[in-house]
Amino acid sequence: MPDTTRKRTRHRRAIWAGTAFAVFGPFELPLAADGGFDATPAARRRVLADIAGREDGLAAACGCFVFSLRGRAAALPWYVGRADGGSFAEVCLSDACLRIYAQAQACMPCLDAHLHLLGRLDCGGLPASGTGAEIACVEQALIRLARARNPALLNADGEAPLPAPAATLLRPLYAPRTIDARALRAVLGL
């Protein structure tokens, strides 16, 4: 019986290595008068308009996101999520995510809340939608980086082992040196 494992692994790496991601953000999440998140439809529309205004198609794209709280000195990551079955617009501001963000806000009240998006790009360099194993790989790598910075990270503790091309997928964090990438590197302590 021929060994097809090697071929499959090479093919997977080629697909992952050809996938590009870009960092967008930070996007500020509005706070209500009581210090919690403003989860009204109008507030969500404002955040989505900010995301959509940054790059055409970004709100409808997929990828990973990092929720962080920023004080005077530095920002700490509190949650890493992924939007691979839906768009950033559907996942990042869903009721489930807002509950997680509120849990983090309760730990560190009165700090500014931000979202950083790591969006998947198509071959033309525009934000793309869809699913893929590379998004889960990037999420796991981001969780590890975020947990090293903040042990109280609100993600579940069960982490899958990282496949080899994780460093390739996180290349946007290190190059190009955009303002958005520098902001996310600061949150992750890189």
Side-chain angles (χ1 to χ4, degrees), residues 5-136:
T5 309
R6 210 163 142 193
K7 289 180 185 177
R8 207 174 310 132
T9 304
R10 249 186 282 141
H11 178 65
R12 182 179 296 144
R13 284 187 184 149
I15 291 172
W16 282 349
T19 302
F21 288 83
V23 179
F24 301 94
F27 300 98
E28 191 167 346
L29 297 178
L31 297 177
D34 65 355
F37 289 105
D38 188 354
T40 62
R44 289 182 194 200
R45 279 193 301 272
R46 282 193 304 272
V47 174
L48 289 176
D50 188 22
I51 291 172
R54 183 71 59 99
E55 181 81 27
D56 287 338
L58 182 58
C62 63
C64 296
F65 57 95
V66 177
F67 169 77
S68 64
L69 294 173
R70 180 168 185 78
R72 280 189 211 166
L76 275 181
W78 281 91
Y79 182 74
V80 175
R82 73 175 182 237
D84 63 351
S87 66
F88 283 129
E90 295 168 351
V91 177
C92 293
L93 299 174
S94 67
D95 290 335
C97 282
L98 287 177
R99 280 193 295 277
I100 293 170
Y101 304 161
Q103 186 180 353
Q105 187 76 22
C107 296
M108 306 282 288
C110 303
L111 296 180
D112 295 332
H114 294 101
L115 275 178
H116 295 269
L117 307 179
L118 199 68
R120 184 172 167 214
L121 303 178
D122 63 12
C123 56
L126 298 173
S129 59
T131 62
E134 69 276 359
I135 296 173

Side-chain angles (χ1 to χ4, degrees), residues 139-140 142-145 147-148 153 155-162:
E139 180 194 33
Q140 287 300 315
L142 287 172
I143 287 172
R144 287 173 189 248
L145 290 170
R147 183 157 287 126
L153 191 74
N155 288 81
D157 286 335
E159 295 175 352
L162 285 178

